[in-house]
Amino acid sequence: MDISDSVLITGVGGAVGAYLAGRFATAGRDVVGVSRRPQPETPDFRQLTVDLARPDEVEAAVEKTQGSPSAIIHAAVDGARDEHDFDSIERSFRVNAIAPYVFTRALLLRAAADDAECRAVFIGSEAMFHADDASGPYAASKAASRVLTASLAAKCRGGRQSVAYLSLGPLLTPARTAELSALARRLDKSVPEIEALALARSNPDLVIDRFIALDAVGDAIEMLLRLGRSGNGTVVRVDGGSAGSLI
């Protein structure tokens, strides 16, 4: 099986999800993009509007998704920082962990019943290794996602389905590119100099001095999808080496 014939991607309203939807559509895949708000009309993918924080909408989306896609990629994220009230924390857990788990588990069970291949990749964050006061709830939701992913991989053992996890570090999104360029002009420095300074200040454990390009994210996801059953339970980290090394 070549990567995926049909791909369901959550979070297409964000930078990573939008990039992945365009990448897979350009490669000729049948893409369904899931987002909380309707996106501008595009020939690249079919849209499914779902608020992942609402259980009723998630359940309805499972029903609307006929059959099971060949691949599922969870790029949706509630990245709110420094919000510690009950509702904000609960929403973060629903979007980042609970909804992707419930949605994917239902589709994996459907694929198993049909003896069909289905490969899922959950996108996580290195924030779970470096939580601070501002990012604690967000980091905890990503840690929960990682544990739930492992349980899904165990469920897939022996079948034609697989689940993998991709942990990401600081990304070079279009918004960040514009921000870096503006800072470089203002401070009369090169963009690489500004990138290195920003990364060093954000996390001194990072061993990269450039933000991670979205192309690298796409390459990592395609690799995990190609692995299929051989990669069930695999964890890949493209996070700048922020967890350190063995020495």
Side-chain angles (χ1 to χ4, degrees):
M1 174 184 175
D2 183 23
I3 302 179
S4 305
D5 298 313
S6 57
V7 185
L8 185 146
I9 303 173
T10 64
V12 295
V16 175
Y19 166 79
L20 293 172
R23 176 169 174 146
F24 280 97
T26 299
R29 311 303 173 196
D30 178 23
V31 177
V32 175
V34 178
S35 63
R36 183 162 62 97
R37 296 187 181 91
Q39 299 303 303
E41 288 299 322
T42 171
D44 289 343
F45 57 86
R46 293 178 287 122
Q47 296 189 32
L48 185 60
T49 303
V50 183
D51 185 347
L52 295 178
R54 294 178 56 89
D56 57 331
E57 293 194 21
V58 175
E59 292 172 0
V62 172
E63 296 303 317
K64 290 179 182 177
T65 307
Q66 298 180 355
S68 57
S70 303
I72 304 166
I73 303 170
H74 285 294
V77 61
D78 183 295
R81 301 292 203 277
D82 212 12
E83 294 185 13
H84 304 280
D85 60 281
F86 192 95
D87 288 343
S88 296
I89 294 173
E90 183 179 38
R91 178 176 180 83
S92 186
F93 268 80
R94 286 187 177 191
V95 174
N96 297 338
I98 301 172
Y101 171 79
V102 171
F103 198 174
T104 303
R105 191 174 191 276
L107 295 182
L108 288 172
L109 289 173
R110 186 182 296 170
D114 295 338
D115 193 28
E117 285 192 329
C118 183
R119 307 172 183 189
V121 177
F122 286 64
I123 297 179
S125 170
E126 59 84 29
M128 66 182 180
F129 301 107
H130 297 279
D132 55 27
D133 180 61
S135 66
Y138 167 74
S141 71
K142 284 299 187 180
S145 174
R146 169 67 193 107
V147 174
L148 291 172
T149 303
S151 74
L152 287 176
K155 181 70 174 176
C156 290
R157 181 182 298 156
R160 300 181 64 198
Q161 300 75 46
S162 64
V163 178
Y165 185 87
L166 173 63
S167 178
L168 296 178
L171 299 176
L172 187 62
T173 62
R176 181 164 279 156
T177 298
E179 184 179 279
L180 291 170
S181 297
L183 279 172
R185 288 193 299 270
R186 186 186 314 160
L187 301 176
D188 194 25
K189 293 182 178 293
S190 69
V191 171
E193 287 178 305
I194 296 297
E195 282 191 79
L197 181 62
L199 288 169
R201 287 182 174 178
S202 68
N203 185 346
D205 294 325
L206 292 173
V207 295
I208 56 173
D209 54 14
R210 302 296 298 270
F211 284 94
I212 299 163
L214 294 180
D215 284 349
V217 179
D219 291 343
I221 287 175
E222 288 192 7
M223 179 271 291
L224 288 169
L225 292 176
R226 286 194 185 95
L227 283 175
R229 292 172 62 187
S230 298
N232 188 40
T234 293
V235 177
V236 169
R237 299 184 59 176
V238 183
D239 59 6
S242 57
S245 64
L246 294 175
I247 56 175

